[in-house]
Amino acid sequence: MEHRACLSPEVCKKLIDAGFQITVECDKNRIFEDAEYSAVGCRLVPGDSWRTAPSDAIITGLKELPENDLTPLPHTHIMFAHCYKRQGGWKDVLSRFSNGKGLLYDLEFLQDASGRRVAAFGFYAGFTGSAVGIDAWCHQQLHPGTAYPEITPYPNEDVLIAETKAKLAKIGKFPKVMVMGALGRCGSGAVSYARKAGIPEENIIKWDMAETAKGGPFQEIIDADIFVNCIYLSSQIPAFITQEQIDGERQLSVIVDVSCDTTNPFNPIPIYNVNTTFDKPLLDIETKNPKPLQLCSIDHLPTMLPREASNQFATDLLPTLMQLPERDTAPVWTGAEALYNEKVASMATTD
Ligand SMILES: NC(=O)c1ccc[n+]([C@@H]2O[C@H](COP(=O)([O-])OP(=O)(O)OC[C@H]3O[C@@H](n4cnc5c(N)ncnc54)[C@H](O)[C@@H]3O)[C@@H](O)[C@H]2O)c1
């Protein structure tokens, strides 16, 4: 299902104009066609050629390298390696770089001076999460009691928005959508989708820290039709919603947990514990109230709009990429290198 890319053709053009040389692997899965890259001056090479790239090439790609390969990595890589939070197999991944005398700049940890990530997919996670929530609610109205179908990626957001609008028009009423963490990246994306789908402002409830300061659970959540959770969970907080609440009277019939703190012991939505997937997007939550309650907890939502999500990510990353020639002094890059060295050193002292 993954079609996103780290560098968009538009961003490649800007880098090439600034003097970069960019080589792109041919790939039929990627949302951007090979020709879009060659049109802006990138050199095309066959897929999977990165292993034999010149030793001074910087290799960039979005996702993890294939598992079960322990070959040492001699290059500098810019990617999401998912090995800094001691994820399963983290030492196997990290030691490939140190064994090959390579270097990892992990995209998740490229941060500016205030500690904020320079590029993230949050906006389109919230945007598509909100789309799934509204669509699931429409499905409940139009085809009650039937299974919600699999989701496949959309070529662009206009197609998705048109689909939602047509369904809402058929139903003839708008749901009440509550977005939690509305001031953040994901939250602002969730609000943006609801607006673009034509949902009136009074039906979009936007909550952030100020509104939850009193502590949950919150009646306001079960009074909405759709709850889109977009908070960044950094400490233990009272639950937003409880089993007791959903067993009782409620309007709520769809939850989209964009935050996906699914297995976190402090998950503020402690009524489920598995992630859902694009081929089976919704989980039926058991409640004593016969009204359905379905939950989506897909942890790679931006894949649903690969073109917009990749364009936005690459655009946000561009100013930092422009500093690559000065990476020995530019704080984003020196910070990322220091973190890499720290994580490599920690392998000796951590299980
Ligand atoms: N499902 C996916 O595909 C996907 C993709 C990207 C990010 N995410 C996840 O989404 C979450 C949010 O990411 P982000 O980049 O939007 O973070 P962010 O820091 O930009 O925004 C988080 C927002 O949550 C608010 N918040 C935090 N605690 C709150 C509370 N107790 N009550 C109300 N509001 C609260 C913050 O004030 C902030 O406005 C992260 O957990 C991230 O991992 C999921």
Side-chain angles (χ1 to χ4, degrees):
M1 285 283 186
E2 189 56 81
H3 304 283
R4 286 177 289 171
C6 181
L7 296 186
S8 60
E10 194 183 321
V11 156
C12 286
K13 163 126 189 37
K14 292 191 170 135
L15 289 167
I16 289 167
D17 288 348
F20 284 66
Q21 286 173 34
I22 305 183
T23 304
V24 173
E25 290 189 351
C26 294
D27 187 347
K28 287 197 169 40
N29 241 339
R30 185 182 48 218
I31 188 71
F32 304 114
E33 288 181 17
D34 301 340
E36 295 182 69
Y37 288 102
S38 54
V40 296
C42 299
R43 190 170 74 95
L44 294 180
V45 290
D48 218 26
S49 335
W50 61 270
R51 296 167 207 274
T52 52
S55 59
D56 60 346
I58 297 174
I59 316 285
T60 186
L62 219 45
K63 291 294 189 110
E64 304 93 329
L65 297 170
E67 282 174 19
N68 305 323
D69 179 352
L70 298 178
T71 326
L73 299 170
H75 290 99
T76 293
H77 289 251
I78 303 173
M79 61 186 283
F80 285 104
H82 299 301
C83 64
Y84 282 2
K85 295 181 193 158
R86 300 183 195 168
Q87 290 95 329
W90 70 282
K91 284 187 182 178
D92 289 343
V93 177
L94 196 49
S95 55
R96 291 184 65 186
F97 297 91
S98 51
N99 290 344
K101 304 216 168 0
L103 171 59
L104 167 67
Y105 291 119
D106 196 304
L107 285 168
E108 194 179 344
F109 299 90
L110 294 182
Q111 295 173 341
D112 65 17
S114 64
R116 188 133 180 97
R117 279 175 60 178
V118 298
F121 280 100
F123 182 88
Y124 277 100
F127 194 84
T128 48
S130 183
V132 173
I134 298 167
D135 195 62
W137 180 82
C138 290
H139 188 87
Q140 290 174 346
Q141 316 305 307
L142 295 169
H143 312 284
T146 64
Y148 186 75
E150 72 163 350
I151 299 171
T152 48
Y154 284 72
N156 61 62
E157 70 175 53
D158 293 344
V159 178
L160 179 61
I161 292 166
E163 200 178 283
T164 307
K165 280 187 161 172
K167 288 183 188 174
L168 288 171
K170 211 168 178 182
I171 295 164
K173 62 176 179 179
F174 292 110
K176 207 187 227 191
V177 183
M178 177 168 204
V179 178
M180 187 68 87
L183 299 179
R185 274 186 283 243
C186 293
S188 51
V191 171
S192 168
Y193 193 82
R195 285 182 178 142
K196 286 192 174 178
I199 295 184
E201 206 57 32
E202 64 269 21
N203 279 31
I204 310 171
I205 306 145
K206 302 170 268 292
W207 274 28
D208 207 277
M209 294 297 275
E211 290 79 10
T212 60
K214 59 187 175 187
F218 300 107
Q219 177 69 30
E220 290 87 339
I221 295 177
I222 58 167
D223 286 346
D225 295 289
I226 303 166
F227 174 46
V228 187
N229 180 40
C230 295
I231 71 155
Y232 184 85
L233 182 69
S234 52
S235 59
Q236 183 167 14
I237 53 170
F240 287 153
I241 184 169
T242 62
Q243 185 67 40
E244 195 186 346
Q245 263 186 319
I246 58 172
D247 281 343
E249 263 312 293
R250 63 180 151 78
Q251 184 63 24
L252 189 70
S253 62
V254 177
I255 299 174
V256 181
D257 193 3
V258 177
S259 303
C260 276
D261 292 302
T262 315
T263 55
N264 189 314
F266 308 139
N267 179 8
I269 309 180
I271 54 171
Y272 82 102
N273 54 20
V274 289
N275 281 340
T276 61
T277 52
F278 281 113
D279 53 359
K280 198 174 176 304
L282 301 182
L283 196 66
D284 291 312
I285 304 287
E286 280 190 27
T287 75
K288 291 193 179 127
N289 180 339
K291 178 174 175 150
L293 179 60
Q294 295 181 299
L295 182 140
C296 168
S297 52
I298 298 174
D299 65 6
H300 51 298
L301 281 164
T303 301
M304 206 173 142
L305 281 178
R307 182 167 288 272
E308 285 87 349
S310 304
N311 272 330
Q312 181 242 303
F313 184 84
T315 303
D316 289 351
L317 193 60
L318 178 63
T320 303
L321 294 173
M322 286 286 192
Q323 296 173 353
L324 268 175
E326 299 91 46
R327 62 185 176 280
D328 291 342
T329 52
V332 176
W333 295 111
T334 54
E337 183 168 355
L339 185 64
Y340 165 76
N341 288 327
E342 190 186 300
K343 296 294 176 188
V344 168
S346 77
M347 283 195 288
T349 53
T350 331
D351 287 339

